[in-house]
Amino acid sequence: MMHASAYGRLSQDPKQISTQSGKAMAVGSIAVAIGDHDDPPLWMGVVTFGRVAKDFLKCRKGDMVSVSGRVQRNSWISGSGEKHEQLQVVADSVVSNRTVRPGGGRKSNSVNTSSGTGHDRVDSDMDDPLPF
């Protein structure tokens, strides 16, 4: 069994699926940068269950997410008869940039001179240290 961690951008909002037993499940895919900027990304499927699925469903298209879990190979034949394969991570952990930065905002430093005092003041979205 292979275990992996990957960091990539969500290609679309995760989809909720119910298993036959009624257990919560969510699926999606991420584009993982491999090598040089000119190289195409590696597309990986993400499969989640239970609490992890509920967390994954809070993510949105374009979010940067980190996933960790067991790797499996998904094979299928398209309607035109072509065989396709994709690596999937059956994730036991999903962390999004929204989790790290509540509200999805970026930490930015901007100069605010509207106070009229002549002193520059630096504002930031978050003054608290990161939780890890």
Side-chain angles (χ1 to χ4, degrees):
M1 176 184 340
M2 187 165 95
H3 189 83
S5 296
Y7 183 66
R9 191 169 300 277
L10 271 173
S11 64
Q12 59 189 5
D13 291 350
K15 295 179 184 174
Q16 182 174 0
I17 301 172
S18 293
T19 64
Q20 291 179 351
S21 64
K23 190 175 184 181
M25 177 179 175
V27 296
S29 62
I30 59 173
V32 180
I34 303 289
D36 197 348
H37 290 291
D38 296 331
D39 294 337
L42 171 66
W43 289 94
M44 295 185 73
V46 179
V47 180
T48 59
F49 296 94
R51 179 196 54 77
V52 178
K54 290 177 184 177
D55 291 342
F56 190 43
L57 287 168
K58 295 176 186 173
C59 299
R60 296 289 168 249
K61 176 182 179 177
D63 286 354
M64 293 297 291
V65 296
S66 176
V67 298
S68 178
R70 179 177 53 86
V71 176
Q72 66 185 19
R73 189 179 332 183
N74 184 24
S75 301
W76 71 95
I77 297 176
S78 68
S80 62
E82 287 185 71
K83 184 177 179 181
H84 297 273
E85 285 190 354
Q86 181 186 42
L87 292 179
Q88 290 182 326
V89 176
V90 180
D92 52 28
S93 171
V94 173
V95 178
S96 80
N97 60 349
R98 290 177 187 234
T99 304
V100 176
R101 299 204 187 276
R106 294 181 181 217
K107 185 174 182 178
S108 64
N109 292 331
S110 60
V111 177
N112 181 355
T113 58
S114 63
S115 63
T117 63
H119 300 287
D120 290 345
R121 192 179 95 217
V122 176
D123 293 330
S124 68
D125 291 341
M126 295 182 59
D127 294 327
D128 298 333
L130 295 176
F132 52 88

